[in-house]
Amino acid sequence: MRVALFGGSFDPIHHGHLIIARAVAEHVHADRVILLPSRLPPHKPNVGLADGSHRAAMVQAAIAGDPLFEFSDHDLTCDGPSYTAHTVAHFHEQFGDETELFWIIGADALLELHTWYKPAEILAHCRVVTAVRPGYEVGALTELGAILSADKAERVRGDVVQTPRIDISATMVRKRVAAGQSIRYLVPENVERYIAAHGLYTSHVRAN
Ligand code: ATP
């Protein structure tokens, strides 16, 4: 079996997430994609951010009825910060060596991967597969190359997938809601309804 894990703040989940996750899954022939909303970093100012229960509900609404996608509350409920290294180790243990694991990220996240907690350990458990993202060009990844073995760094560079370039961000969605603008077509309809019903993102917009 091939399982792709997709972590993020999903504040809220939007069509960029869904389109790139499906495209990456097709590229690596994943049988399942598991979406993992993360706990929000406690040190970040969290005005205007949605509670984990809302973000989880929106992820579940967005993927309802799609057999490729599943939701996991692993990162929301784990003790302490949700480090990807711990998450992939958990799923590796759960699924065993027979299952090939992938971790989906966007190009913006790949450019920061060298700052993550134990990148080499992440890559010991899974292949990190990157979706292209408008505004973020994947260059030589020199900093990442400096902390990984040559073969691991080469694999990460080779695992950049030319997914559709979707210029949607959760920041854009939150800003539009706060400004009273439509978010139609940026997020699934039931996510749009959820945001309206719960009055999410109507005030206080964080910069990012
Ligand atoms: P924010 O605007 O709040 O920073 P975001 O839109 O980047 O949020 P996240 O939930 O932080 O969304 O992203 C989760 C993962 O999805 C990250 O790896 C990010 O790079 C990737 N991602 C999000 N949107 C896109 C997109 N439009 N294209 C490619 N990758 C994306």
Side-chain angles (χ1 to χ4, degrees), residues 6-17 20 38 44 49 103-110 116 131-134 136 163-174 206-208:
F6 187 21
S9 47
F10 299 120
D11 192 25
I13 188 163
H14 53 69
H15 275 132
H17 293 127
I20 64 118
S38 55
K44 277 201 178 174
L49 297 187
W103 184 265
I104 301 174
I105 56 174
D108 57 313
L110 176 61
W116 288 23
V132 295
R133 186 168 191 176
Y136 299 92
T163 53
R165 291 171 183 265
I166 310 293
D167 199 2
I168 301 175
S169 68
T171 303
M172 172 201 289
V173 174
R174 293 191 302 272
R206 72 171 168 167
N208 196 346

Side-chain angles (χ1 to χ4, degrees), residues 103-117 119 128-148 156-157 159-160 165:
W103 184 265
I104 301 174
I105 56 174
D108 57 313
L110 176 61
L111 297 175
E112 300 294 320
L113 189 59
H114 62 282
T115 67
W116 288 23
Y117 179 69
V128 171
V129 187
T130 303
V132 295
R133 186 168 191 176
Y136 299 92
E137 284 319 310
V138 177
L141 302 176
T142 318
E143 288 122 320
L144 190 63
I147 55 170
L148 294 178
V156 173
R157 288 190 196 98
D159 274 338
V160 177
R165 291 171 183 265

Side-chain angles (χ1 to χ4, degrees), residues 20-41:
I20 64 118
R22 178 167 279 280
V24 169
E26 281 179 8
H27 184 84
V28 302
H29 305 291
D31 307 291
R32 301 163 65 177
V33 177
I34 302 178
L35 285 89
L36 296 134
S38 55
R39 292 228 308 235
L40 294 174

Side-chain angles (χ1 to χ4, degrees), residues 49-71:
L49 297 187
D51 188 76
S53 61
H54 285 314
R55 292 181 293 112
M58 290 188 283
V59 167
Q60 287 171 292
I63 63 175
D66 186 335
L68 179 66
F69 289 119
E70 295 164 45
F71 159 82

